[in-house]
Every structure is written in C-alpha cells, then in structure tokens.
Amino acid sequence: MIDDDLREALRARASTYQTSPHAWIGVQRRLRTARRRRFAALAAASLSVAALAAGVPLVLSGTGSDPTTRATTTAVPSKGHEDAFDLESRQSPPVGDPVILVNPADGRYLRLWFSRKPQQQGLDQPVPSNAPRYDVLCWAMQSALHGRTYAGCPVDADPSHAGQYAWYVGGTADDWSRGETVISYGVARSKVRKVSAIAADGTRLPGVIYRPKGAPAAVWAVTYPARARVRAFEFSDADGEVLGRTTPDPFLLSPTSAAPVTPPVDLPGGLTARLHTDGTFTWLRDGVMVAATEILWTGATAGAPARIISWHFGHGRWFGLATAGTAKVELTAGTGAPIWAATARDPWRRGLALFSAPSGRESDLYTGGYTIVGFDARGKEIWREKVPPHPPLWTGVPLSTPAR
C-alpha cells in the first residue's frame, strides 16, 4: 500500500503547480497508471522522485498514523512552531487579509490567502524574470488524522481567468477520506454576490462570499453534504442574474473507474467495502464513497508481518484494514472504555481483515492521541500502533465573517 501521507503530500504539492485548471487530474491519472505496474516498494520510490521533481511537499508538523511506509514519506519534521502555512506564506506573502474557514470533516482550520505570483507556463519550463504576475489563492490546512499540515498556491496557464466572473480553486470533496460534509472554494470577482452548489437532483445548496480587507478579489465557499454529488457551482449577481457556472470534473468524485471485484463486503454501520481491479480499495455508505486507499498487492499476503494497514474515522465509524490473522481490533484513548470490533475476512484472498466500529468523539481522539491493538483468534496481541496527540493549530485566529 502507498503511504497515505505521501499521497496527500503529492496531491498538495502537485496542485501547487498546475498548468491548466485540469492539469492535476491528468497528473493523478498518469501516476495511478504507472504505479500500479509496480510492486509497492518500487511505486513508493517512484512517487518520492516525483515529489522531488515537483518540489519537496510542504507537509510539516506531526507524525504519520500509517505505519506501512514511514521511511518513504517526504514529510519534513517541524522545527519549533514552524508549519506548512508558515513556510508557504513566507514564500508566497499574503496580499490582504486571509480567509479562515473550518474544514467540516474534522473541525480543523482551513486558511486561504491571496498572493502575487509570476505566471508559469509548464512544470518543466523556467519562469522568466519578466513573466506577468497574477493574484492567486493559496491554501493551508491540517490533517487531524495525521497531524501534518499542507499548503500550496495553485497557478494555472491562464491565471487572469479572462472572461470568468468566478472559478474553482480547491476543496475537500476530492479527498480520499471524506466526512459527511465537505467544502469547496474559489475566487470571485466583485460583481459576484451569490454562489450555489447544484446537486445531482437539481437542489441548490447556498454558499457564502468573503471579501477580505485589502485582497484583490472575493473568495466563495460552499459547504454541503458529500452525498449531494454536486455537479456544478453557479454564480449570480445582486439581482439574481446568473453570471456563470463551473462544472467539477467527474474524476474528482471517485478515485477509480475500474470495476469492483465481486463480491462486496457489508460491515456494521452501513459500510460496504469494495476492492477494484486496479488495486483501489473503497468504502461506501448508502452507495456514496466515504474513503479509499490503494492496495498494490498482486496476490495473497501469506507470511507478511502482522500490522494495521489503513484506518479512517468518519460518519460515526472507525473502519479500516489489517493483515489476515487479525481477528479483533481494539482502540483505546485516555481513560475511556476501549472500542473494539471483530474483523471480517476478505473474500478476494488478498490477505486482508476488515473492520468497522463506532468511533466515539473523533476530535478527542485526535487531540489526546490513541492506541490501536490487533489480536489473533486466541486473543494474543499480534500488533500495536500508538498514535500521538494531534492538537489543532491556528486556533487563536478568528474565523472569517461572510459578506452580507
């Protein structure tokens, strides 16, 4: 399995250097095709090279919670109070006040700010000294699960966005681990006064506009249920006249288009686990994907070290994968009672054990830390993973107020 931290670092850094609004989608597709032709170790190495080619990911502060490939992660340990936001904001100084939002998936802060950057024509092309400079919307966020911080400043081939009243920049809807609620955001010109997300059933979900003091443009944001399957964002003026729409790329709504391997596995809490033919593992609830990871094993894992492979919190559940032979998993945090779950064996003979259990108060788990232990059928402990506390960052900064 590719380390989740490394994948998110690549997602964060590659999105920093887009050559077109959909360039990162193409990058994802090419990386996914290439890495599934290799074994896990070779894939991890190739991704590390890709990370260096794009610039060392701005992923700082904290310790990864996935033990599978810690040695391959390109994350940089934090020094003192330094984090990815500090580093990125020094490289990309803010123009005007920032916009401070809450990531609805985990309650951690999402920071947005404008910066003036030179136009970049391509990933492998130098930026000329006389290149025109444009205002771009930068971002920084903290992963509550991993405790790391991520940051970037997307720059596309036409950062002027001539003829557009508003455009999409980023959000959590395309994350591989989604909460019940997600957020999308972007840039809006002064004429835009309203923004709505249009769900698959035609329902309009209203968003908000922020006008940070001293900033060159407004910021729009829409928070909506992940199950809404948003197909467009619509922008209008003060009189309600529609100024334009932005349509999300369907690829962002799912990490794979490969067929699932039958049969699926139904687990407690309404979760369904699916393995796809390209090595993607997805978790669904009521038919909507809530999390995914990558399994690059080409067969069963007999003789592999006993360990937990991947885990997620969300939708009131704690769920994940461990190696075969794990009969029970147990999570303990603070002085509370342990949370445990019996595992289910995978029907695809990939050497997996699947589990799902109520998660309790996830924010308390992140803040105070927790321990996960795996037991075999005789009740013997066969692996243990201790996750340190990941307290929230930037909490002294007040949240932004939407424009009226």
Side-chain angles (χ1 to χ4, degrees):
M1 171 190 165
I2 293 297
D3 181 79
D4 289 341
D5 284 346
L6 179 56
R7 174 175 49 73
E8 291 302 328
L10 287 168
R11 176 193 297 273
R13 196 53 177 173
S15 68
T16 303
Y17 295 103
Q18 291 180 320
T19 57
S20 75
H22 303 296
W24 176 224
I25 297 169
V27 171
Q28 286 179 309
R29 287 174 177 149
R30 291 193 296 274
L31 285 176
R32 184 165 290 114
T33 299
R35 64 184 172 222
R36 282 176 183 149
R37 294 173 182 166
R38 300 169 175 83
F39 292 103
L42 293 178
S46 66
L47 287 175
S48 297
V49 172
L52 293 175
V56 176
L58 297 181
V59 186
L60 309 173
S61 180
T63 304
S65 61
D66 190 331
T68 56
T69 54
R70 279 179 176 161
T72 67
T73 180
T74 55
V76 181
S78 63
K79 297 180 180 179
H81 298 289
E82 186 175 67
D83 57 35
F85 167 71
D86 290 333
L87 185 55
E88 185 62 59
S89 61
R90 288 198 294 269
Q91 297 178 349
S92 306
V95 177
D97 291 343
V99 174
I100 311 298
L101 308 176
V102 171
N103 180 353
D106 55 26
R108 301 298 171 101
Y109 278 16
L110 169 63
R111 306 183 67 142
L112 307 174
W113 72 97
F114 285 96
S115 186
R116 197 149 289 142
K117 308 280 284 188
Q119 182 175 359
Q120 183 175 353
Q121 294 293 340
L123 289 172
D124 58 350
Q125 299 178 21
V127 180
S129 58
N130 62 345
R133 300 180 72 84
Y134 294 92
D135 295 311
V136 299
L137 186 63
C138 305
W139 59 272
M141 63 185 297
Q142 180 191 20
S143 166
L145 179 62
H146 299 280
R148 300 182 185 275
T149 54
Y150 304 85
C153 290
V155 178
D156 56 49
D158 181 20
S160 66
H161 290 276
Q164 291 181 276
Y165 283 101
W167 53 94
Y168 174 88
V169 174
T172 61
D174 60 335
D175 287 350
W176 282 25
S177 183
R178 303 172 185 164
E180 295 182 70
T181 307
V182 296
I183 187 171
S184 294
Y185 58 85
V187 178
R189 300 190 191 278
S190 59
K191 193 173 182 179
V192 176
R193 298 302 177 89
K194 298 178 183 178
V195 57
S196 297
I198 303 177
D201 63 1
T203 302
R204 278 175 166 72
L205 307 166
V208 294
I209 304 292
Y210 297 90
R211 302 188 184 280
K213 183 179 179 181
V219 175
W220 63 265
V222 186
T223 300
Y224 54 94
R227 67 179 63 248
R229 299 175 185 265
V230 166
R231 56 184 175 86
F233 297 101
E234 184 178 86
F235 310 99
S236 55
D237 62 16
D239 297 325
E241 179 182 352
V242 176
L243 300 174
R245 285 186 176 183
T246 295
T247 303
D249 191 297
F251 180 77
L252 296 179
L253 300 179
S254 176
T256 180
S257 59
V261 180
T262 57
V265 177
D266 293 325
L267 296 165
L271 290 176
T272 299
R274 288 185 179 274
L275 176 67
H276 296 258
T277 55
D278 63 354
T280 303
F281 194 94
T282 58
W283 303 86
L284 298 90
R285 188 179 186 189
D286 299 327
V288 178
M289 196 202 80
V290 297
T293 191
E294 289 184 316
I295 304 296
L296 296 184
W297 300 323
T298 57
T301 57
R307 56 189 170 87
I308 190 167
I309 298 168
S310 179
W311 68 94
H312 307 271
F313 295 102
H315 304 265
R317 309 296 297 179
W318 165 52
F319 54 97
L321 302 170
T323 50
T326 304
K328 174 184 173 182
V329 292
E330 184 177 86
L331 183 150
T332 57
T335 59
I339 300 171
W340 68 273
T343 64
R345 295 181 60 182
D346 74 271
W348 319 293
R349 298 182 179 179
R350 293 300 198 277
L352 304 173
L354 298 76
F355 65 89
S356 171
S359 62
R361 292 179 56 85
E362 295 161 25
S363 60
D364 293 342
L365 295 175
Y366 299 140
T367 302
Y370 55 93
T371 300
I372 306 174
V373 182
F375 301 90
D376 64 16
R378 295 174 295 178
K380 179 185 177 182
E381 178 181 322
I382 56 176
W383 53 258
R384 175 180 291 260
E385 177 68 16
K386 187 173 183 179
V387 181
H390 297 322
L393 298 176
W394 315 319
T395 53
V397 182
L399 294 175
S400 298
T401 302
R404 294 186 178 181

